[in-house]
């Protein structure tokens, strides 16, 4: 029965860290839109430059 409490605590910690990562993505996306950029997956397309970062693998790109 004690292991159930430990599993619940572990689940709570994992859920809490996931929520923080998603908040960073929302804040980064809002900052990118404010700079008139767009979030792309992994790298910026041709004729655009990186002006920031939306999330871990999502750079903020703006056309030249």
């Amino acid at each position: 029965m004690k292991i159930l409490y430990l599993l619940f605590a572990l689940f709570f910690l994992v859920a809490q860290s996931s929520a923080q990562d998603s908040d960073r993505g929302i804040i980064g996306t809002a900052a990118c839109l404010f700079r008139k950029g767009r979030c792309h997956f992994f790298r910026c397309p041709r004729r655009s430059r990186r002006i920031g970062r939306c999330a871990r693998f999502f750079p903020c790109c703006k056309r030249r």
Side-chain angles (χ1 to χ4, degrees):
M1 196 65 170
K2 288 182 181 181
I3 195 158
L4 190 60
Y5 292 114
L6 291 174
L7 288 175
F8 178 72
L10 181 67
F11 174 74
F12 179 73
L13 289 174
V14 169
Q16 186 177 6
S17 68
S18 304
Q20 290 174 354
D21 289 340
S22 67
D23 288 345
R24 276 191 226 137
I26 292 169
I27 292 170
T29 302
C32 184
L33 292 175
F34 182 73
R35 295 180 191 167
K36 296 185 169 86
R38 297 188 70 180
C39 298
H40 292 277
F41 181 69
F42 197 61
R43 64 180 178 176
C44 296
R46 290 183 183 171
R47 298 184 183 164
S48 64
R49 60 187 171 102
R50 183 177 175 178
I51 59 171
R53 192 172 81 176
C54 300
R56 178 176 276 177
F57 295 110
F58 293 89
C60 180
C61 306
K62 186 174 183 180
R63 287 192 176 184
R64 294 182 187 199

